[in-house]
Structure formats: C-alpha cells, structure tokens
Amino acid sequence: MSMRSVLAPPALRDRGQVTIEFLGMTPTIIVTLIALWQVVLVGYTFTLAGNAADEAVRQATAAEPGARQGACEAAGLKHLSEAWRSGASVTCGGSGSGFITADVRMEVPILFPGTLSFPFPVRGHAGAVEEAD
C-alpha cells in the first residue's frame, strides 16, 4: 500500500462504492418488482372474476329460464380481453326458488396475461333474485 493511498481523502478512497452496491442490489430490486407485479395480477384476476360474476347474474335474472345459461355466459365473458377469456368459465344456476347464482372461474397468469397460468383458479360468485314479469 503506498503512502499516497493512505493519505488520500475518504471521498477518493470510496469512489465507485455506490455503483458496486447498486449493482449488488439490482437482482434484489428486480425480484421484488416481479413479485409485486405478480401480486397485482392476482388481485386484478379476483376483481375481473367478481365483476364477470356480477354481470353474468344480472343478465341471467332477466333472461328466460331456457336461455339463462347462454345469456349468463355471454355476459360474464363480454368484458374480458382475449388473454383473460381463454382460461375463464362461467356457470349459472338456480335453486328453483327464484334465486339465481353465477360462478366464474379464471386462471391467474404468470407475469403476462395470455401466457402461462398458475395451477390454482380464482373464483368469483354472485347471486340475485330472479326478476318477476
């Protein structure tokens, strides 16, 4: 070690330290951002499933009993983009007492909608009373 480096001011001895620390933290920052994005996708899928179930049951209550499933499914899938619609299923049913239910099942995408999905589905459920004539 030379006498010059020992006597150099601290600012000169620490030159590049911030760059090295930032490069060391970059993978952690990227992994954190990816994890946050995935949490956003899970939450958005829950929101879409709930909204699709609400739309489906609303249409099913106004439809004739024979056309109920078709109207329900069309309304549930209507506002979903192709990336979300490909893994979605809509089922409507009723107990015969005038109460109609709609169940929507959607897949949670991994990082990008329309690509791979997690093996667990997200479900949305809604119910409404059948409209009277």
Side-chain angles (χ1 to χ4, degrees):
M1 186 181 254
S2 72
M3 184 61 94
R4 180 175 236 163
S5 66
V6 172
L7 298 176
L12 291 177
R13 285 192 309 234
D14 292 341
R15 251 173 89 185
Q17 182 67 29
V18 172
T19 304
I20 298 298
E21 288 175 2
F22 180 73
L23 287 175
M25 287 300 296
T26 299
T28 304
I29 293 168
I30 290 172
V31 167
T32 303
L33 290 175
I34 289 171
L36 288 173
W37 174 246
Q38 191 59 54
V39 169
V40 167
L41 284 176
V42 170
Y44 188 58
T45 305
F46 271 103
T47 302
L48 285 176
N51 184 57
D54 288 341
E55 292 290 331
V57 79
R58 187 175 300 124
Q59 286 297 324
T61 58
E64 295 295 324
R68 186 167 287 153
Q69 180 61 35
C72 176
E73 188 171 348
L77 299 175
K78 180 179 178 181
H79 298 292
L80 299 177
S81 68
E82 185 57 39
W84 299 97
R85 189 180 305 143
S86 63
S89 65
V90 180
T91 308
C92 283
S95 61
S97 62
F99 190 74
I100 309 298
T101 60
D103 293 299
V104 176
R105 181 188 168 279
M106 296 179 70
E107 295 176 354
V108 178
I110 299 174
L111 296 182
F112 301 104
T115 57
L116 299 173
S117 298
F118 282 111
F120 63 87
V122 167
R123 299 182 192 282
H125 179 78
V129 178
E130 188 175 8
E131 292 183 10
D133 291 332

